[in-house]
Amino acid sequence: MIQPSTVFRKAAHQVSCRINDEVAILNLERELYFGLQGTGIRIWDALEQPRSVHELCDIIVQEFEVSQADCQTDIVQLLERLHQEGLIDVDS
């Protein structure tokens, strides 16, 4: 289970680029494409460095109108999906 202190980083076997208002991410091992928009792009950009769920929430709450609780719920859902797709790893 993902905790606020869990730290994530981008997986080594992915590449990403911006296409208009979207970030396209490709898992090179699985040949899987994933797209992000809106706050998802900001989270992806923040993962240039390993970051905890708590750090990501702090960034999003400062830049967007969202409560800390809603932010954490949404970020955990996104991180779970990105992790499941092999696009991010838990940083140990």
Side-chain angles (χ1 to χ4, degrees):
M1 178 167 197
I2 296 176
Q3 301 296 319
S5 61
T6 306
V7 175
F8 289 91
R9 60 178 167 75
K10 291 180 180 180
H13 56 270
Q14 62 75 32
V15 293
S16 63
C17 66
R18 285 188 187 254
I19 303 172
N20 297 321
D21 294 333
E22 183 176 8
V23 168
I25 310 164
L26 177 64
N27 180 321
L28 297 171
E29 292 179 345
R30 297 163 122 181
E31 298 179 4
L32 169 82
Y33 161 83
F34 197 87
L36 293 174
Q37 296 178 325
T39 56
I41 294 171
R42 183 62 183 103
I43 293 165
W44 185 253
D45 289 346
L47 288 171
E48 284 298 322
Q49 300 176 30
R51 299 207 191 255
S52 69
V53 173
H54 181 74
E55 290 172 314
L56 292 169
C57 281
D58 284 348
I59 290 167
I60 297 303
V61 166
Q62 288 177 16
E63 296 180 18
F64 298 91
E65 289 188 30
V66 62
S67 71
Q68 188 76 22
D70 288 342
C71 182
Q72 184 167 321
T73 299
D74 292 346
I75 286 178
V76 166
Q77 288 176 354
L78 176 61
L79 294 175
E80 284 174 343
R81 181 76 193 277
L82 293 172
H83 188 256
Q84 178 183 21
E85 301 298 345
L87 301 171
I88 61 172
D89 295 319
V90 174
D91 196 54
S92 49

